[in-house]
Amino acid sequence: MKTLDAPFSRILLTFGLLLGISATLRAECPIPKHVVTTPAVQTADWAQSWWMPRHEQKIKEVKDCGGDIDLVFLGDSITHGWEKGGKEIWNQYYANRKALDLGFGGDRIEQVLWRIDHGAFDGMKPKLTVLLIGVNNINQKSSTPEQKVDGIRAILKRLETKQPEMKILLLAVFPWGPTADCKKREGVNAINQYLPKLADNRRVFYLDIGNVFLEEDGTLPKSVMPDLLHPNAKGYTLWAEAIEPTVQKLLGEQK
């Protein structure tokens, strides 16, 4: 067997070290400051009567149960819908798993950051959080897709700081709009293309279940999402079924 000469071996070793350093720098690079990475309360007029009371109520729920929460769903109206159109499916899959729904209708990435900074994860030590966020940022003209992903990375960093032992299942943004080539779907894809890079498969795990909602040609049927954005009971069933094996694994339920 032919061996490498010493100079060439040193070159390979140096190259390997540089790759390792580069990967470390990418993992630890600071999160840029811009609109999506700046925590903000919900300012929409239609949300003022319930948004802050819901935040306070969720904090109270955690206190009332003594922080006995194993599973959290974190996101916007699609996640909020587990308490509405997805209620029966929630009861079937999550009611006996010490689960908490932290979905807030209309939330962008900035609102999730604000909620984390203001007590959303205090007083509990969940085993797993399922994170779905970003669709309400798609039409945000003040930010690029890369900046939107910066915001999601900021959420992951906040959660790591708050709950260093907790695992996170980061979901791809669900399909939006009627067809595979529509403008809304392009906006979804522009975010999703970056999300796999945020997973380290140790603490953060990435899963794209978008196809379970779609027809073979990529169309999104109203029988699953009547407004082509929010799931109905059938859509929530598809969601729960699609993530169940991963949820079981990350919760340590699989033997």
Side-chain angles (χ1 to χ4, degrees), residues 34-36 108 110 137-145 147-148:
H34 49 69
V35 63
V36 187
R108 301 186 305 276
E110 305 94 292
N137 292 87
I138 287 174
N139 290 332
Q140 188 178 38
K141 296 180 180 179
S142 58
S143 64
T144 65
Q147 289 174 328
K148 295 169 175 60

Side-chain angles (χ1 to χ4, degrees), residues 129-181:
T129 285
V130 179
L131 174 62
L132 173 65
I133 194 66
V135 72
N136 291 321
N137 292 87
I138 287 174
N139 290 332
Q140 188 178 38
K141 296 180 180 179
S142 58
S143 64
T144 65
E146 293 87 348
Q147 289 174 328
K148 295 169 175 60
V149 175
D150 284 340
I152 295 174
R153 185 158 62 94
I155 291 174
L156 297 175
K157 187 65 177 177
R158 290 292 209 290
L159 292 176
E160 179 183 18
T161 301
K162 288 277 186 177
Q163 302 289 339
E165 302 301 319
M166 180 181 71
K167 292 182 172 62
I168 301 168
L169 178 57
L170 173 62
L171 298 180
V173 179
F174 289 174
W176 181 25
T179 60
D181 58 354

